[in-house]
Amino acid sequence: MDTEKIIITEKLTKRFADFVAVDAISFFVNKGEIFGFLGANGAGKTTAMRMLCGLSKPTAGKATIAGFDIYRQTEKIKKNIGYMSQKFSLYEDLTVKENIRFYGGIYGKSNIFIKEKAALLLHQLKLEKEADKLVGDLPLGWKQKLAFSVAIFHEPQLVFLDEPTGGVDPVTRREFWNMIYEASERGITIFVTTHYMDEAEYCSRVAIMVDGRIEALDTPEVLKSTYTATTMDDVFLQLARKAQRSELG
Amino acid sequence: MKQFISFVKKEFLHILRDTKTLLILLGMPIALIMIFGFALTTEVKNSKFAVLDFSKDAATEEIINELNASRYFDLVAALHTYQDIEAIFHKGKAKMIIVFPPSFKSDLQHFNTAPVQIIADASDPNVATTLTGYATTIIMDYQKRVTHDRKLPHTINTQVRMLYNPQMKGTYSFVPGVISMILMLVCTMMTAITVVREKETGTMEVLLVSPVQPIKVILAKAVPYLLISIVNIISILLLSVFVLDVPIRGSLILLLSESILFTITCLSFGLLISTLTDSQQMAMFISLTGLFLPTLMLSGFLFPIENMPMVLQVVSNIVPARWYYQIVRAVMIKGLPLITVWKETFILTGMTVFLLMASLKNFKTRLA
C-alpha cells in the first residue's frame, strides 16, 4: 500500500437510474497536495466528492481513502477526514464557541483539547470578541472562514471542501486561500471543488471533469502548456466545450 | 457516549435559544386544559326557557318553579299565545318552551294523564337533545312525587348510577384527550421539524460525514422532546387534579409509564416523517393532516368510535392515540390496573417498534 497516496480511485462510478453522474473515474491524490476538482455545474464533481466522503454509495469501482476501503471501512475514514459542504454548515442559532465545542465533541475530542484549540482558533481568526455571539449574526466571509476552521478542528489527514468560496467577496476569498495554504503546510491534504478558475491556479494539481469523466489532470502549468493557454480559464473553456450534457445544477 | 452528550447538549441549546417556541410548547398544554376544562363544556347550564301556560294551576306552577330552580334552566318569559313561540325563538331569547294545555291539573287528577309539550330550538341538535332530556327528567320527578300519594298497581322504578363520573363532567373525557393531543403535537411535529431543519440547512451532511452513528444523531434529537413531554404530562395531570377536580384513580406510575410509551410512539412517528420529507413545511403538513387530525377525529376523544361507519372504525385501529386514549381513561378515570389494558399496551408497543424500525431503515437507505 502506497502511503503517500491518500486517495486512490479505480473506475469509480455512480449511476442514478439510467443517468451516469460519475463515469468510471480513476485518479489519485498525494498526501499534502492541494487537489483542485473542476467542472461545470452538473459535471459530477459534487457526486464524486460525496462518494469519497461516504455520503453516497458508489455503483461500481474501487476507492481507498487514507488506506481505508470506502465500502467496508467508512467508520475509519470518517475519523480521518473533514468536510465543508456547499451550504453553510454551522448552526446559526448557536454561538461561535458552542459550534466549535459541538464539532469538537462529536469527533470525540477531550474537553482540554477543545478548550485550548478553540482559544487558538479564535485568536487566529481574530474572533475573540465574537466568541459568544450567534454565528447567524456574523458576516458571510467570517462564517466561511469559521466553517473551514471547524472542518479541520479535529486535525484530519484530509479535508473535502465543496465550493467553499461561493458568494464570497474577492478579498475574503484571498484570505480563505491563505488559510487553505496554512492548513496544507501543517500537513492536511486539501481536496477542493470550485468553478472559479483563478482558484485553480492556486492548486498543486487540478482535475477537470466533463460529463462525469476526468478530461484532464495535471499541474496548472502543464495543463496550460498542453492546451497552449495563458490562463486556466482558457484550458477549462476548451475542455468544457466538448460537454454534451446540459446544465443540471 | 461523549459524542452523544455533546449532541444532546446542542439540541437543548437549540430549544432554549428559541424561547418563543419553548414557551408555546410548555404553555400550550396549560392553555388547552383551561379551554377544554372551562370553555368547551358540553354541560348545559342556565339555559333560557319560556312557558306557555294555558292552565295556570298549582301543578303547572310547581313544575315551572322546579325547572327554574334547577341549575340547567332559567325562566325568561311567560307567553300568552302560540304566535309568541315563533317570535321568541326568532329573537333567540329562549332555547326551549314548555306548553301546558288548559286544565292540566284536573286532567291529571281525573283522567290520570295529562300532556306537556316541550318545544326546543334544534338548530343546535346536541343542546336541544340535552335540554329536552333534562326537562323530561324534572317533569318525571314531579310525577313520581304525585303518584306516590296513590299506589299504582304496577310501577317500574329505574335507578341510574353514573359510574366513575357521577356528576357527568365533560372534563373527565377531555383530560385524556388533551394529553394525547399535546404529546402528538410536541413529539411528532417537533421531532420531524428539527431533523428536517438540519437537512434544509445542510448541517445534516456534515453530521453524516462525522464519525457519529446516524442512530445517535436521531436519538439525541428525541431526548429533549421526551423531557419536555414529561414536563407537559406532569403539568396536565397537576392541573386536572387540582384545578379541574379530575381524580387519578389508578396507579400514577402506570399512568406515567404508559404516557412515556406513547411519547416514544409519537417520537418514532416524527422520526419516520423526517426521513420521508426534505422541507420543514412538508414535515409540518404531514404531521398535521396525517396525524393531528386523525388523532382528533378518530381517537374517540371527540366522537365515539362506536358511532362511526365501519370503514372509519377500522381505520381508527391504526391511530396510536386511540389506544393511548383508552389506556388513560381506564387507568386515570376508572382506576384499572395494567392487566386490563395489556392489549392496548401491547398494540402501542408493537406500533412503536414498527415505526422505529421503519424510520431507521428509511434513514439508512436515504444515504445510499
Side-chain angles (χ1 to χ4, degrees):
Chain A
M1 177 58 57
D2 193 347
T3 48
E4 289 304 302
K5 293 192 174 102
I6 195 156
I7 301 178
I8 307 170
T9 76
E10 234 177 275
K11 293 186 177 161
L12 198 63
T13 303
K14 179 77 185 185
R15 246 179 253 120
F16 295 107
D18 52 355
F19 173 73
V20 188
V22 175
D23 191 0
I25 55 170
S26 303
F27 68 94
F28 62 86
V29 176
N30 292 317
K31 211 165 190 172
E33 265 190 321
I34 299 178
F35 190 86
F37 213 56
L38 276 58
N41 288 336
K45 319 177 273 260
T46 301
T47 312
M49 183 185 248
R50 288 173 62 90
M51 283 193 283
L52 296 175
C53 297
L55 281 173
S56 157
K57 268 214 172 80
T59 318
K62 279 191 248 174
T64 56
I65 309 285
F68 300 115
D69 184 84
I70 61 164
Y71 291 99
R72 286 175 288 111
Q73 293 170 299
T74 45
E75 293 313 309
K76 283 181 180 149
I77 291 175
K78 284 177 174 178
K79 285 204 176 93
N80 287 292
I81 62 170
Y83 173 71
M84 181 177 164
S85 77
Q86 249 173 44
K87 284 189 194 166
F88 178 65
S89 49
L90 297 178
Y91 295 97
E92 306 233 345
D93 58 340
L94 299 191
T95 67
V96 174
K97 243 189 205 162
E98 285 161 354
N99 266 290
I100 297 175
R101 218 180 285 150
F102 170 65
Y103 280 105
I106 62 172
Y107 278 93
K109 295 293 175 190
S110 69
N111 290 337
I112 303 164
F113 176 92
I114 294 173
K115 214 173 177 183
E116 285 174 1
K117 188 91 201 279
L120 185 70
L121 193 152
L122 289 172
H123 178 70
Q124 282 169 344
L125 290 172
K126 301 191 182 65
L127 277 176
E128 285 125 320
K129 277 186 202 153
E130 279 76 18
D132 291 315
K133 268 196 189 165
L134 298 186
V135 166
D137 296 337
L138 296 180
L140 182 68
W142 284 10
K143 283 189 199 169
Q144 294 295 85
K145 286 192 264 181
L146 181 64
F148 176 67
S149 310
V150 168
I152 58 169
F153 188 81
H154 58 290
E155 297 286 343
Q157 291 189 49
L158 168 67
V159 64
F160 290 94
L161 310 174
D162 194 3
E163 291 178 16
T165 53
V168 169
D169 67 79
V171 180
T172 316
R173 257 170 69 194
R174 195 61 220 219
E175 286 169 358
F176 194 88
W177 273 89
N178 285 336
M179 290 178 66
I180 293 183
Y181 278 125
E182 273 168 37
S184 172
E185 273 160 28
R186 289 212 308 271
I188 299 176
T189 308
I190 317 279
F191 186 104
V192 55
T193 72
T194 179
H195 41 215
Y196 292 111
M197 289 308 137
D198 58 323
E199 292 187 348
E201 314 260 3
Y202 306 146
C203 300
S204 343
R205 285 195 309 144
V206 170
I208 299 180
M209 274 193 93
V210 178
D211 287 353
R213 286 185 297 274
I214 294 180
E215 284 295 322
L217 195 167
D218 220 315
T219 62
E221 286 68 36
V222 174
L223 285 176
K224 277 186 278 186
S225 68
T226 315
Y227 291 87
T228 55
T230 47
T231 60
M232 280 304 290
D233 215 22
D234 292 336
V235 177
F236 181 72
L237 284 174
Q238 286 186 40
L239 288 165
R241 269 191 209 113
K242 296 183 201 165
Q244 303 292 311
R245 276 186 206 164
S246 56
E247 292 235 331
L248 287 158
Chain B
M1 200 56 207
K2 187 173 171 346
Q3 288 176 331
F4 189 68
I5 292 168
S6 308
F7 235 108
V8 174
K9 259 191 212 160
K10 184 209 97 181
E11 295 307 327
F12 271 111
L13 283 175
H14 283 312
I15 294 172
L16 292 177
R17 203 126 296 162
D18 191 358
T19 31
K20 273 183 221 152
T21 312
L22 182 65
L23 277 180
I24 293 173
L25 290 182
L26 294 176
M28 191 167 49
I30 298 171
L32 272 183
I33 278 286
M34 290 305 175
I35 291 171
F36 277 115
F38 292 110
L40 290 183
T41 163
T42 49
E43 291 168 52
V44 180
K45 277 183 221 159
N46 303 332
S47 288
K48 291 174 180 139
F49 82 107
V51 288
L52 178 55
D53 189 354
F54 292 114
S55 180
K56 291 207 170 92
D57 52 43
T60 62
E61 195 181 328
E62 200 176 339
I63 293 174
I64 293 166
N65 281 342
E66 248 166 60
L67 284 167
N68 198 14
S70 82
R71 62 193 178 104
Y72 308 115
F73 297 106
D74 273 340
L75 180 64
V76 287
L79 311 178
H80 305 290
T81 63
Y82 273 109
Q83 280 75 27
D84 295 347
I85 294 177
E86 194 84 346
I88 200 160
F89 276 143
H90 278 197
K91 285 186 203 147
K93 277 191 176 165
K95 293 225 161 85
M96 189 184 73
I97 289 154
I98 310 271
V99 185
F100 294 103
S103 66
F104 178 81
K105 190 174 184 187
S106 59
D107 281 1
L108 194 63
Q109 282 170 344
H110 299 117
F111 306 112
N112 287 334
T113 177
V116 179
Q117 186 180 29
I118 302 175
I119 305 170
D121 174 0
S123 56
D124 186 338
N126 287 336
V127 173
T129 317
T130 315
L131 287 184
T132 50
Y134 287 153
T136 311
T137 315
I138 292 170
I139 295 170
M140 295 314 270
D141 278 350
Y142 171 79
Q143 178 195 297
K144 249 188 221 163
R145 279 207 315 272
V146 176
T147 52
H148 265 293
D149 303 342
R150 279 171 285 151
K151 284 276 177 248
L152 287 180
H154 309 288
T155 49
I156 297 173
N157 287 323
T158 49
Q159 289 193 336
V160 181
R161 217 183 126 208
M162 292 295 179
L163 216 54
Y164 310 119
N165 186 359
Q167 292 154 284
M168 301 280 278
K169 280 195 195 163
T171 42
Y172 277 43
S173 71
F174 286 139
V175 168
V178 169
I179 299 180
S180 35
M181 241 166 51
I182 291 290
L183 291 182
M184 208 81 200
L185 214 59
V186 172
C187 300
T188 310
M189 198 161 89
M190 293 315 290
T191 336
I193 287 177
T194 167
V195 177
V196 174
R197 188 188 292 145
E198 297 233 7
K199 283 194 200 172
E200 266 187 7
T201 55
T203 43
M204 187 54 96
E205 280 202 342
V206 179
L207 297 181
L208 293 175
V209 174
S210 80
V212 186
Q213 290 144 291
I215 180 143
K216 279 192 194 162
V217 177
I218 291 229
L219 288 182
K221 292 233 158 243
V223 170
Y225 292 105
L226 183 63
L227 276 181
I228 290 183
S229 301
I230 293 174
V231 172
N232 279 343
I233 295 168
I234 293 171
S235 68
I236 294 174
L237 290 181
L238 285 176
L239 279 176
S240 30
V241 172
F242 293 107
V243 180
L244 302 179
D245 293 325
V246 178
I248 299 174
R249 295 215 175 92
S251 145
L252 185 61
I253 290 165
L254 177 62
L255 185 61
L256 286 178
S257 348
E258 295 278 7
S259 300
I260 290 170
L261 172 66
F262 182 66
T263 308
I264 297 171
T265 319
C266 295
L267 289 171
S268 325
F269 227 135
L271 294 177
L272 183 64
I273 293 173
S274 73
T275 63
L276 297 173
T277 52
D278 287 318
S279 77
Q280 292 185 55
Q281 279 94 337
M282 197 61 199
M284 200 159 355
F285 182 73
I286 297 186
S287 319
L288 283 179
T289 54
L291 287 171
F292 191 59
L293 287 180
T295 299
L296 209 58
M297 307 290 182
L298 299 177
S299 63
F301 154 47
L302 284 187
F303 311 110
I305 294 172
E306 297 77 23
N307 294 357
M308 291 175 192
M310 202 55 208
V311 184
L312 286 183
Q313 288 198 27
V314 173
V315 174
S316 78
N317 282 323
I318 59 166
V319 177
R322 178 203 163 149
W323 304 106
Y324 175 67
Y325 179 65
Q326 285 181 3
I327 294 173
V328 178
R329 259 198 336 192
V331 175
M332 191 169 166
I333 310 297
K334 296 191 196 164
L336 300 177
L338 177 62
I339 195 90
T340 50
V341 290
W342 72 268
K343 193 183 99 191
E344 286 83 357
T345 311
F346 184 75
I347 292 172
L348 263 190
T349 315
M351 282 180 170
T352 312
V353 172
F354 172 78
L355 288 170
L356 259 185
M357 302 287 265
S359 51
L360 275 178
K361 191 170 169 282
N362 235 324
F363 193 77
K364 276 186 187 151
T365 44
R366 280 298 293 252
L367 292 179

